[in-house]
Amino acid sequence: MSDYLYAPSLYWFAYRYREGLVVADTQASSDQTLADLDWVKQQYKQVLSPFDVILSSKWQNEGRTRNFELLKNPNLEEGRQYEYFEISAQNLEGFVYPQSLHDSYGLNLNLFCPENKGADQYPIEDLDKLNPKGCFTPPKTPPFGYLGQTLLLTAYLDKPRPSAIGEFEALARTCWQQFFKVQTVSSLPRLYRAYQFLGGYLYEYGNPEDDLTKNPFGHLLIWFFFEEETSLILQRCYWELPELLLYYHKICGSFRQSRDFYQNADTIVSKNETYLQQLNKNYLQNRQRDTLADEQLTELKLTLKELLATSLRYSQQLRNLEYAHNTIAINHKNYLAILDQMEQLAQTPLEAFRVFGEKEAVAFQEQITADLNYFRHGSGLLDTAINSIRGLVEIDQAERDRLLQTALATSRDKQEKFNQGLQDQIQAVGVGIAAGAIVASTSGLITHSWQFPSREQFWLPPHPFILALLGSALCSWGAWLWAKKEIQKRRDISQANSTPKGISTAIATDTPKTPLNPAGDRLSVSDDKKE
């Protein structure tokens, strides 16, 4: 196997949102600012400074439009606004072509060795010169709205193309090892897929589902050519490649975010299921008929508030999942549309790029659809927990109200019995006082001589004491009867005066009236019919 490459060329594509809605974990980053033109300048400065290259073109930011070129090259009056440069010290040439693509910034840079096949061999050990100071290494902490980057390394191999595609995989991995200057190839991302592509071999490293924490090198492509025609095909469709890779990163980024939303929602569902089991055991299956203790009722109310907040967070996760699904669906269509354009320009199928559009992008959407169907049952569990707690609280509150009403009724009965007993006692005391007063008022007559009937005088008039006692009792009874009637009469008058006037008026109004004739006399029913 050869240790030399011919005409190596490096293509760098980096992307970040510049506007629009970006759904992400707001706690993951305190900086929620999207990219601006200063960020674009800083990125180009980072990758060009190690080569001592300074751009001379003017920058422009046409914020009113979604698709525009960021450079204004005075040497290019028409056509694409890119800037060409040369690095004489390393015998390198290149160009930069930054764009605004829809809602994102797309950064594009190319470095290449102007060599011909079969001449001027390029040692693999020198590939790190294309990445001085690791300038093309993705950021360890990606900024907010960062979509990712792709590095495409192309090179000719001066040998016949082998029939087995895996024969050059070790060479491809060695190239990336030298490019990033890592100690072992095991630290590099694993080979994801290998393609027979346009007469050459294309090796793809990095799982689309892995973020920068799992794969700190980003999306890596290395393409070995065996014929000059291959590079000519790439040139015909190259200018559409940055947009195609933008949709690739949007699809992959949305799916990676959906895994976080899935995990958050699944955690909520698991906790809710655990709590439902405890709720069912502690309350729903508890046959104790006593009302809940104050501590239990307070705990249930607090739990209800927590579940309502949890339900809101859960709904947000489902909304985010649906947003990720829609984002993937939209960018999937855009990916296939721009791929069709590239194939028309290349005048040949681009199978390697079509695999992603027909497999991964479709699988991502199907996975999120399955997640949403699963989590809809989770919404039902949350609703069940909330409704169960509400039911327990309402039932307990109703039982407490019933017991309170019973206690109040018992208290009223006791009060009424107490009042009745008090009234009876007052009446008894009044009767005793009255009787005592009568006896006291007639007691002076007791000393009169008492005469009893005899044979000589069979009938005698009653004793004065008895006459006085009977007279006093009769007067008391008459006074009581008169006072009772007067009190009842005044009570009836008071109740009649308190009757609302609207009732008597309404009764009077309901009485049918006989109509009057023009002379003011009342008409009989027969006269009315004649009229």
Side-chain angles (χ1 to χ4, degrees):
M1 182 178 296
S2 174
D3 293 332
Y4 295 95
L5 305 176
Y6 296 90
S9 183
L10 177 69
Y11 301 88
W12 175 65
F13 307 91
Y15 305 93
R16 185 182 175 187
Y17 281 111
R18 71 179 183 90
E19 64 179 12
L21 175 64
V22 179
V23 178
D25 185 2
T26 56
Q27 297 180 353
S29 174
S30 58
D31 184 9
Q32 302 297 311
T33 305
L34 295 176
D36 55 13
L37 189 59
D38 291 337
W39 177 81
V40 176
K41 295 178 181 179
Q42 179 63 31
Q43 295 303 303
Y44 275 110
K45 181 179 180 181
Q46 175 181 328
V47 297
L48 291 177
S49 294
F51 298 99
D52 294 328
V53 174
I54 300 176
L55 299 179
S56 60
S57 300
K58 294 182 179 179
W59 293 91
Q60 57 183 0
N61 192 7
E62 300 178 10
R64 296 183 180 180
T65 59
R66 294 175 64 82
N67 295 335
F68 58 90
E69 297 167 324
L70 298 181
L71 290 183
K72 187 65 175 177
N73 191 340
N75 299 323
L76 299 175
E77 297 180 358
E78 298 180 357
R80 300 185 184 276
Q81 295 297 303
Y82 63 90
E83 181 171 338
Y84 173 83
F85 59 85
E86 294 182 357
I87 306 175
S88 303
Q90 300 185 31
N91 191 26
L92 294 174
E93 300 178 10
F95 65 87
V96 296
Y97 181 53
Q99 296 173 270
S100 172
L101 298 171
H102 308 296
D103 57 356
S104 307
Y105 283 125
L107 284 59
N108 179 208
L109 181 144
N110 176 225
L111 288 173
F112 59 91
C113 295
E115 303 167 12
N116 296 320
K117 178 182 177 182
D120 298 330
Q121 297 174 340
Y122 192 95
I124 293 179
E125 293 79 7
D126 292 345
L127 283 176
D128 63 316
K129 296 180 180 179
L130 298 179
N131 186 31
K133 300 180 181 180
C135 60
F136 288 109
T137 302
K140 294 183 179 180
T141 304
F144 182 73
Y146 183 75
L147 289 168
Q149 75 170 34
T150 295
L151 286 175
L152 171 61
L153 181 63
T154 65
Y156 288 101
L157 295 182
D158 187 16
K159 64 180 304 181
R161 189 187 75 170
S163 58
I165 192 173
E167 187 173 333
F168 283 136
E169 197 277 325
L171 176 63
R173 184 175 291 273
T174 302
C175 290
W176 288 123
Q177 179 186 9
Q178 297 299 325
F179 180 85
F180 288 107
K181 276 300 177 183
V182 294
Q183 295 296 327
T184 60
V185 295
S186 59
S187 59
L188 295 170
R190 293 183 178 181
L191 177 68
Y192 181 69
R193 187 174 285 146
Y195 314 86
Q196 294 185 10
F197 188 48
L198 300 180
Y201 289 150
L202 178 64
Y203 301 90
E204 181 178 13
Y205 294 87
N207 193 320
E209 300 181 22
D210 293 342
D211 57 13
L212 291 177
T213 58
K214 296 181 180 180
N215 173 21
F217 299 96
H219 186 218
L220 304 179
L221 297 172
I222 186 167
W223 194 0
F224 292 139
F225 300 154
F226 300 93
E227 299 176 358
E228 186 177 356
E229 179 65 20
T230 303
S231 62
L232 298 178
I233 295 175
L234 177 61
Q235 293 176 11
R236 290 200 297 263
C237 61
Y238 174 79
W239 298 113
E240 281 66 35
L241 185 58
E243 186 171 358
L244 181 77
L245 292 175
L246 168 65
Y247 300 137
Y248 167 87
H249 284 286
K250 281 188 174 182
I251 293 172
C252 297
S254 296
F255 184 73
R256 287 194 295 268
Q257 286 183 334
S258 73
R259 298 306 86 201
D260 294 334
F261 305 146
Y262 170 88
Q263 188 62 42
N264 295 338
D266 187 62
T267 301
I268 294 175
V269 170
S270 299
K271 290 183 178 179
N272 187 45
E273 288 180 345
T274 302
Y275 179 76
L276 274 180
Q277 293 175 357
Q278 296 176 353
L279 179 69
N280 185 44
K281 178 180 178 181
N282 297 336
Y283 296 100
L284 300 182
Q285 293 182 353
N286 188 2
R287 298 184 178 275
Q288 183 180 359
R289 297 185 178 181
D290 296 338
T291 58
L292 298 174
D294 292 339
E295 295 79 5
Q296 292 176 314
L297 188 60
T298 302
E299 180 183 359
L300 285 176
K301 290 180 178 180
L302 293 176
T303 303
L304 181 59
K305 293 180 180 180
E306 293 177 358
L307 284 178
L308 290 173
T310 300
S311 179
L312 176 59
R313 294 194 300 270
Y314 187 75
S315 299
Q316 290 174 341
Q317 300 306 319
L318 296 188
R319 178 206 62 188
N320 293 341
L321 274 175
E322 292 179 352
Y323 181 82
H325 181 275
N326 295 335
T327 301
I328 293 175
I330 293 172
N331 288 284
H332 180 211
K333 293 180 179 179
N334 294 336
Y335 183 92
L336 295 178
I338 197 68
L339 181 57
D340 289 338
Q341 296 180 21
M342 292 179 64
E343 289 179 338
Q344 292 177 7
L345 294 172
Q347 299 177 358
T348 184
L350 303 177
E351 302 90 348
F353 296 139
R354 189 163 292 277
V355 169
F356 175 81
E358 294 179 350
K359 291 188 177 181
E360 277 83 356
V362 175
F364 291 164
Q365 296 177 69
E366 293 176 349
Q367 180 62 56
I368 297 178
T369 300
D371 296 340
L372 289 171
N373 291 334
Y374 168 74
F375 284 129
R376 287 190 178 94
H377 298 289
S379 298
L381 286 175
L382 268 175
D383 294 339
T384 299
I386 293 173
N387 293 333
S388 298
I389 294 177
R390 281 177 173 171
L392 285 173
V393 173
E394 291 175 358
I395 291 173
D396 186 81
Q397 193 64 47
E399 183 66 18
R400 286 171 179 265
D401 293 341
R402 186 186 66 80
L403 294 177
L404 180 60
Q405 293 295 333
T406 302
L408 291 176
T410 303
S411 177
R412 285 196 298 268
D413 292 342
K414 291 182 179 180
Q415 186 66 32
E416 290 177 357
K417 290 181 180 179
F418 175 78
N419 293 337
Q420 185 65 38
L422 182 62
Q423 291 177 3
D424 294 342
Q425 187 174 4
I426 291 174
Q427 291 177 0
V429 171
V431 171
I433 292 175
I438 293 173
V439 172
S441 63
T442 59
S443 61
L445 301 176
I446 296 178
T447 57
H448 286 207
S449 61
W450 291 80
Q451 297 181 0
F452 300 95
S454 62
R455 294 180 177 179
E456 294 79 10
Q457 192 174 1
F458 179 79
W459 184 88
L460 294 175
H463 191 272
F465 173 74
I466 295 176
L467 290 176
L469 184 62
L470 292 175
S472 298
L474 182 62
C475 291
S476 298
W477 177 81
W480 170 80
L481 185 63
W482 176 83
K484 180 180 179 181
K485 291 183 178 180
E486 286 295 321
I487 291 173
Q488 185 65 36
K489 181 179 178 181
R490 293 181 181 181
R491 184 176 297 167
D492 294 340
I493 294 174
S494 176
Q495 291 179 354
N497 292 334
S498 62
T499 302
K501 296 182 179 180
I503 298 177
S504 60
T505 304
I507 296 174
T509 305
D510 292 339
T511 304
K513 295 182 178 180
T514 306
L516 300 177
N517 59 20
D521 301 328
R522 296 190 179 275
L523 297 177
S524 63
V525 176
S526 60
D527 292 337
D528 188 29
K529 291 181 179 179
K530 292 179 182 180
E531 289 289 312

